[in-house]
Each structure stands twice: as C-alpha cells, then as structure tokens.
Amino acid sequence: MDFKLLMVFVDQDKTDRVLNAARKAGATGATIINNAQGQGLRPHLTFFGLEFMAARSVLLILVEARRSSEVLEAVSQAGGLDESLDTGIALELDVNRALGLSEHIKALSKEYPLS
C-alpha cells in the first residue's frame, strides 16, 4: 500500500476544523505539533515594534496515496489556506517506507477495499 504524508501548518484555532475535514475526506488520524512558530513573507509587528508570532499547529497526516488529493483539498478549504498570505500552507510528500502500519493497513483494506 502506498502512502503520502500531508504536512499542514495552520493557526491553532483552525486545528480542529482542519482535522475534522481531513477525517471526512478519508484520513484516519494525525499527529499534531502545537505551539510551532514561523515567519512568513513579512513580519507581523506589534505596536511596540516587536515581532508577533501567533501559535501555529503542524499536522502530520499519513494517508493512503489514492486518498491524498481529496484530503489535501479538504484541509486547504477548511483552513482557508488560499485566502491571504498568513493563513498557512499544506504540502504533500511521498513516503518511500513506513513501519508500524500492519494493523492500520488491515483496517484500511477492510474499510476501503481496492476497486
């Protein structure tokens, strides 16, 4: 079975919405890294001239390859990723090898049989 890793970077207040959309589109789970920080195209300065970096979440979603496009589109819509410069990003990576998935593959094969 082939897998893709979706990495989604969004503001923490969008995490649940993005996870729910991913699950509805066929994802079976995710690993969430909270309190991540990063910089975008331009710094967000406060009125004191200090840079403000809002708390972000990094969602790591391992999905079966044939479902990855649907899940990626769903998280993009749920997170509003194309609305402005600072809404977040999502990307898809090929997974060459993954271990510890034997039981997951059995469950996926029953729930989503190959047609």
Side-chain angles (χ1 to χ4, degrees):
M1 192 171 278
D2 293 326
F3 290 94
K4 302 280 187 177
L5 176 65
L6 305 181
M7 296 179 69
V8 185
F9 302 82
V10 293
D11 288 337
Q12 279 187 322
D13 62 346
K14 295 181 180 179
T15 302
D16 288 337
R17 185 176 351 150
V18 170
L19 285 173
N20 290 336
R23 189 170 293 280
K24 284 181 185 176
T28 57
T31 297
I32 304 158
I33 303 168
N34 286 314
N35 298 317
Q37 292 185 336
Q39 296 180 338
L41 185 61
R42 292 182 202 92
H44 292 269
L45 300 178
T46 66
F47 53 91
F48 293 117
L50 300 172
E51 187 172 2
F52 172 74
M53 288 192 256
R56 304 280 247 174
S57 292
V58 179
L59 288 69
L60 305 174
I61 307 169
L62 187 67
V63 296
E64 186 183 0
R66 63 189 169 134
R67 299 203 161 310
S68 66
S69 292
E70 293 171 46
V71 176
L72 189 61
E73 183 59 34
V75 299
S76 177
Q77 296 238 342
L81 301 187
D82 284 326
E83 292 176 4
S84 70
L85 289 173
D86 58 354
T87 55
I89 62 170
L91 53 101
E92 175 185 272
L93 302 172
D94 290 328
V95 175
N96 293 325
R97 204 169 154 215
L99 302 176
L101 296 173
S102 299
E103 293 302 313
H104 293 274
I105 291 170
K106 286 179 194 174
L108 282 170
S109 296
K110 287 179 187 172
E111 181 125 4
Y112 306 107
L114 290 171
S115 12

